[in-house]
Amino acid sequence: MTVSHMSTSKLTAASLHRRHAVEKRFRAYGVVAIVTALVFLIILLSSMLSKGYSAFFQAQIRLPVFFSQDVIDPKRTNSSEIIARANYQILVRNALKARFPDVKKRREVKKLTMLISRGARRHLRAMVAHEPSLIGTTQEVWLLASGDADMFLKGAIPRDIPEKSRRINDRQIAWLNALEEDGASRRRFNVNFFTAGDSREAEQAGIWGAIVGSALTLIVTLILSFPVSVTAAVYLEELSTKNWWTDFLEVNINNMAAVPSIIYGLFGLAIFLNVMHLPRSAPVVGGIVLALMTFPTIIIATRASLKAVPPSIREAARGLGASPAQVVLHHVLPLAMPGIFTGTIIGMSRALGESAPLLMIGMVAFIVDIPQGLFDPASVLPVQIYLWADSPERAFVEKTAAATLVLMVFLVVMNATAVVLRRKFEKRW
Amino acid sequence: MGKQETNVVDVRTPRVSIAIPQGEKGDNGQAGAAKEKPLKMRTQGVNVFYGDNQALSEIDLDIRENEVTALIGPSGCGKSTYLRCLNRMNDTIEGCQVEGTVTLDGENIYDRTVDVVHLRARIGMVFQKPNPFPKSIYDNVAYGPRIHGLVSSQDALNEIVMTSLTKAGLLDEVRNRLHEPGTGLSGGQQQRLCIARAIAVNPEVILMDEPCSALDPIATARIEELIDELRKNYTIIIVTHNMQQAARVSQRTAFFHLGVLVEFGDTERVFTSPRDERTQGYITGRFG
Ligand SMILES: Nc1ncnc2c1ncn2[C@@H]1O[C@H](COP(=O)(O)OP(=O)(O)OP(=O)(O)O)[C@@H](O)[C@H]1O
Ligand SMILES: [Mg+2]
């Protein structure tokens, strides 16, 4: 007896050393994996931040603008219609010419006016409409710099590259430097980026249209996919008896989860646009397509969390005489809710980041107006990013990065909500 | 008796003898017929299959009103399976098939016209492992009365909750924490909560599957007292692995072995002079 005990203890001691080593290595693998993931995340975030943060600021140029009666309302009608139709671009050009009197040649003047955003005339028009007494006076006005001037003033265009390969020439640089020395240029927080729709002019392009489009689309997705998926999952998990039919459904649902998202877009194009003639580029169609794509995610998550509810709870309720519907509605579903919420939010954030299927149903169109309803043409955040990434101007590069940051903020908020909801509704037993 | 039999639709050969288990020669606890209580439930020729496996065969058992019937036998012999036949909890187990007749007050509970919801309101169940809902103590007890619409006012519901907790011997311990989660109670308290929850529906029969298996001797003693108390108003069927417990709380004992009912009779008789040697072996601890 003693002998065998001795040897057991010795053997254990010998193997113990080896086991500890394995234990340590196992931990080390885990740490390495986590660190790798974190490093990639940090690289991604910091590159987006360094590229995108400048888009949140915008250069403005101060000019003494003469609100000439002859340009705005030569016949002195004082009619707001006439005032609204006037050519305010002339005011901008005149102001620039007054600031740089030695610029005479037509081509030079054109280069000069290219420093100021084409949106400036709208700004001046709004000023006059708001305050007609400005007519006939000269005012110092801060005007939006054009995209290229904006890039230069932010230092995004290095001066040492040859003139041919920059979008801004030496004369323009000289003018901008002169303005800067005067204190006639400044940088402001770019409110416009968060309130405007898309635009061909980088300095006027904003992300609000895409945010609204994404919100409308996701509302449709949520309203369709959540109730349908949860009901389907409850049916499969709690109410149906297992047979070849439920197996068939299960295989198909898992298949749906693996179908590439562009296929959903093709399906949407074929059915909703070509057969049902729903409007192109509309959030309602985008929402339906994304809902189809989100079904399997929510169904699978819901079934997993239904499975995690201990069977003893169902037995307890059944034993008291609860009907199958009561067992599910009073006990199983409330206990599964945290998992269902998490699954739904994961599905929704995947839908929020999805662009391929939406390209198929025309949400890739260039849309300036902020969508007002589910049937208005709209774009969404990831498609907006795709569109901007495709634009050649340097000014759109920072917009792309900034839009990506905005999208990531939304994703973080959604996933944090999932965690909070989970904490809040989780019950222990 | 005859009146009850008219309702019974037996799928196999009708049996003339009443509740004579297999392997039994003489009477089965009908001694002292004078103090015989009225019949509450009766099972005849019950066979249960899990898929191709037969878990119970030809079980005939009579359960009398206001008595405690103990089911004993080695692990895996089919006690829980039998218990679940009595309130049709087997219905939801996949691949489980029940044959034969089980009657409650002469009515076959497997009849197609019987609503299981109503049936389970009449036959309550306490499970082997305490399984309170993750809700407040109050809501645990109030759940049954609520879903069955037993009460119309909040006061009446309070009344039911209080009396049920009192009957289960739990009220004094939880009086000040009725709105705290039932899952926060100790194991023994949880089990009594489950008993309170079962009797709140005011069932006629209570099935208990090893209600004391997870409890210490003091909590066990409490529950045994409780069972004895409950017997006045309810019919109780209890599965237990504890011979002393069966001897203490029950009036009748049924011994199961490998899916057959070996012996059934007055508890005193079964424990003092078992007729089958398997029973003898089991209760004296030689196997099982
Ligand atoms: N859900 C099920 N599916 C398949 N077989 C089952 C199922 N439940 C029980 N069985 C089988 O039926 C037989 C009887 O089981 P049962 O649970 O009734 O035994 P028991 O007497 O309650 O045992 P214990 O004292 O260990 O609880 C066992 O052989 C068991 O393996
Ligand atoms: Mg059992």
Side-chain angles (χ1 to χ4, degrees):
Chain A
M1 270 310 232
T2 19
V3 176
S4 84
H5 276 162
M6 281 287 287
S7 64
T8 308
S9 144
K10 256 187 200 155
L11 286 172
T12 315
S15 76
L16 214 53
H17 180 70
R18 211 173 49 238
R19 273 191 270 170
H20 284 323
V22 170
E23 210 72 36
K24 267 193 200 131
R25 232 178 303 140
F26 201 56
R27 272 183 159 280
Y29 292 149
V31 171
V32 168
I34 296 261
V35 168
T36 317
L38 271 182
V39 165
F40 278 118
L41 192 68
I42 287 168
I43 291 175
L44 176 71
L45 269 180
S46 52
S47 95
M48 284 300 156
L49 259 178
S50 63
K51 276 197 205 130
Y53 93 99
S54 57
F56 298 127
F57 299 93
Q58 193 158 44
Q60 295 178 336
I61 290 171
R62 192 186 58 204
L63 286 177
V65 176
F66 174 53
F67 290 91
S68 155
Q69 178 84 59
D70 292 340
V71 173
I72 299 170
D73 186 13
K75 292 186 188 138
R76 291 165 200 274
T77 57
N78 284 336
S79 130
S80 57
E81 214 173 295
I82 302 260
I83 291 177
R85 254 192 280 140
N87 186 351
Y88 289 88
Q89 181 66 19
I90 297 174
L91 298 187
V92 176
R93 196 168 60 218
N94 288 346
L96 279 165
K97 283 201 320 206
R99 175 65 186 72
F100 298 102
D102 51 334
V103 180
K104 290 268 164 26
K105 278 193 237 141
R106 262 186 71 111
R107 275 187 49 206
E108 293 279 273
V109 172
K110 203 172 166 215
K111 283 276 175 216
L112 186 57
T113 52
M114 276 166 69
L115 295 182
I116 301 293
S117 165
R118 295 225 255 147
R121 51 188 127 157
R122 236 176 293 139
H123 181 58
L124 295 179
R125 181 188 301 138
M127 280 176 80
V128 175
H130 184 69
E131 190 72 63
S133 65
L134 286 176
I135 298 174
T137 65
T138 301
Q139 305 284 334
E140 294 282 334
V141 185
W142 283 102
L143 294 173
L144 218 54
S146 71
D148 294 329
D150 179 51
M151 283 295 104
F152 175 79
L153 289 169
K154 282 181 194 161
I157 297 178
R159 295 166 199 221
D160 50 1
I161 53 172
E163 192 176 6
K164 281 239 174 59
S165 36
R166 32 182 151 85
R167 292 176 55 90
I168 195 160
N169 68 18
D170 289 345
R171 281 302 300 271
Q172 287 175 309
I173 289 182
W175 294 325
L176 286 173
N177 282 339
L179 285 167
E180 217 168 3
E181 266 161 40
D182 279 5
S185 82
R186 67 176 184 187
R187 260 194 272 169
R188 277 293 127 98
F189 181 71
N190 189 356
V191 180
N192 187 56
F193 182 69
F194 294 98
T195 56
D198 196 8
S199 167
R200 295 274 182 227
E201 321 298 331
E203 72 279 4
Q204 291 178 59
I207 202 168
W208 183 242
I211 291 178
V212 172
S214 272
L216 291 173
T217 308
L218 284 193
I219 286 171
V220 174
T221 306
L222 183 66
I223 287 175
L224 285 179
S225 64
F226 182 76
V228 175
S229 318
V230 171
T231 316
V234 165
Y235 175 77
L236 284 176
E237 202 56 47
E238 302 288 328
L239 305 178
S240 72
T241 44
K242 245 185 146 30
N243 54 29
W244 68 267
W245 167 239
T246 54
D247 286 346
F248 174 77
L249 283 180
E250 171 144 25
V251 168
N252 273 289
I253 287 165
N254 292 342
N255 248 345
M256 259 174 92
V259 168
S261 57
I262 195 147
I263 306 291
Y264 288 100
L266 287 172
F267 175 79
L269 174 66
I271 302 295
F272 302 124
L273 298 191
N274 294 349
V275 175
M276 293 169 68
H277 299 293
L278 287 172
R280 215 160 250 285
S281 319
V284 65
V285 181
I288 297 173
V289 167
L290 292 181
L292 291 177
M293 200 191 78
T294 313
F295 283 147
T297 313
I298 304 184
I299 291 179
I300 291 169
T302 303
R303 291 187 70 181
S305 40
L306 289 175
K307 272 203 187 94
V309 174
S312 63
I313 298 290
R314 295 182 182 82
E315 279 194 336
R318 241 185 259 132
L320 279 174
S323 67
Q326 286 172 327
V327 173
V328 171
L329 293 177
H330 297 168
H331 301 283
V332 180
L333 214 45
L335 290 174
M337 261 316 155
I340 296 175
F341 283 150
T342 313
T344 306
I345 291 176
I346 289 172
M348 296 307 288
S349 46
R350 205 187 132 202
L352 172 62
E354 196 60 68
S355 56
L358 302 181
L359 303 185
M360 290 291 112
I361 54 152
M363 289 189 97
V364 72
F366 170 70
I367 290 146
V368 176
D369 295 326
I370 311 290
Q372 302 294 319
L374 296 177
F375 294 87
D376 284 358
S379 188
V380 293
L381 276 170
V383 173
Q384 187 68 76
I385 292 171
Y386 168 78
L387 284 171
W388 284 347
D390 218 23
S391 305
E393 290 97 328
R394 172 65 183 79
F396 277 115
V397 174
E398 60 170 30
K399 300 272 171 194
T400 309
T404 309
L405 282 176
V406 170
L407 178 62
M408 290 213 292
V409 166
F410 277 109
L411 289 176
V412 166
V413 168
M414 284 172 84
N415 290 322
T417 314
V419 172
V420 170
L421 282 178
R422 185 163 203 119
R423 289 265 166 77
K424 189 154 182 273
F425 286 97
E426 204 157 51
K427 279 188 177 153
R428 306 232 163 259
W429 51 80
Chain B
M1 285 286 170
K3 181 175 154 264
Q4 284 166 350
E5 301 228 339
T6 53
N7 287 333
V8 173
V9 190
D10 201 331
V11 282
R12 285 155 299 96
T13 32
R15 299 177 149 258
V16 190
S17 70
I18 297 159
I20 296 181
Q22 270 118 352
E24 273 292 322
K25 299 139 244 152
D27 71 55
N28 46 51
Q30 285 179 348
K35 56 181 164 95
E36 197 90 303
K37 299 244 169 60
L39 200 62
K40 187 70 188 169
M41 294 190 81
R42 148 177 291 189
T43 53
Q44 282 179 301
V46 166
N47 290 304
V48 180
F49 301 86
Y50 291 111
D52 294 335
N53 265 345
Q54 184 159 11
L56 287 178
S57 40
E58 299 296 320
I59 307 296
D60 299 333
L61 199 70
D62 284 0
I63 287 146
R64 294 183 182 277
E65 217 164 285
N66 299 340
E67 278 190 353
V68 177
T69 305
L71 311 181
I72 60 170
S75 183
C77 65
K79 307 178 296 291
S80 300
T81 303
Y82 177 73
L83 205 63
R84 284 200 302 266
C85 288
L86 300 181
N87 67 345
R88 295 187 52 178
M89 285 296 276
N90 281 335
D91 285 13
T92 48
I93 297 178
E94 230 153 87
C96 181
Q97 207 190 327
V98 180
E99 286 175 359
T101 52
V102 179
T103 60
L104 173 65
D105 289 337
E107 189 191 359
N108 186 5
I109 65 169
Y110 281 88
D111 203 84
R112 225 181 284 141
T113 56
V114 170
D115 184 350
V116 282
V117 166
H118 184 221
L119 174 75
R120 288 182 194 146
R122 294 176 68 191
I123 307 181
M125 186 156 194
V126 177
F127 296 84
Q128 178 165 357
K129 213 176 117 221
N131 55 356
F133 300 128
K135 298 176 190 272
S136 73
I137 293 170
Y138 183 95
D139 287 338
N140 261 283
V141 182
Y143 183 69
R146 273 187 188 137
I147 59 168
H148 292 297
L150 300 185
V151 286
S152 47
S153 71
Q154 188 61 38
D155 286 346
L157 187 61
N158 288 344
E159 171 78 29
I160 289 191
V161 171
M162 290 306 174
T163 44
S164 305
L165 285 171
T166 313
K167 279 191 203 161
L170 187 63
L171 187 62
D172 291 339
E173 286 154 78
V174 301
R175 197 186 293 279
N176 300 322
R177 45 196 286 211
L178 284 177
H179 296 284
E180 283 170 37
T183 39
L185 296 172
S186 79
Q189 289 172 329
Q190 287 187 15
Q191 195 59 290
R192 278 178 283 153
L193 177 60
C194 292
I195 293 173
R197 183 175 67 184
I199 57 186
V201 185
N202 200 23
E204 297 158 40
V205 181
I206 302 178
L207 311 176
M208 296 182 169
D209 196 347
E210 300 181 51
C212 304
S213 65
L215 304 187
D216 69 280
I218 294 169
T220 303
R222 282 236 188 103
I223 292 198
E224 285 178 12
E225 265 170 46
L226 173 63
I227 291 170
D228 208 47
E229 183 67 29
L230 292 175
R231 179 163 66 92
K232 290 180 196 138
N233 302 310
Y234 306 92
T235 303
I236 294 171
I237 303 158
I238 177 173
V239 171
T240 176
H241 276 289
N242 183 329
M243 294 307 108
Q244 283 82 25
Q245 183 171 66
R248 278 193 302 263
V249 300
S250 71
Q251 284 72 54
R252 310 265 178 169
T253 297
F255 172 64
F256 285 72
H257 185 237
L258 297 177
V260 296
L261 177 59
V262 174
E263 187 159 351
F264 176 49
D266 280 356
T267 299
E268 215 180 308
R269 211 264 304 136
V270 172
F271 277 95
T272 49
S273 50
R275 294 191 178 134
D276 195 285
E277 57 185 27
R278 289 170 288 181
T279 318
Q280 168 103 35
Y282 183 72
I283 61 179
T284 54
R286 257 185 283 132
F287 74 93

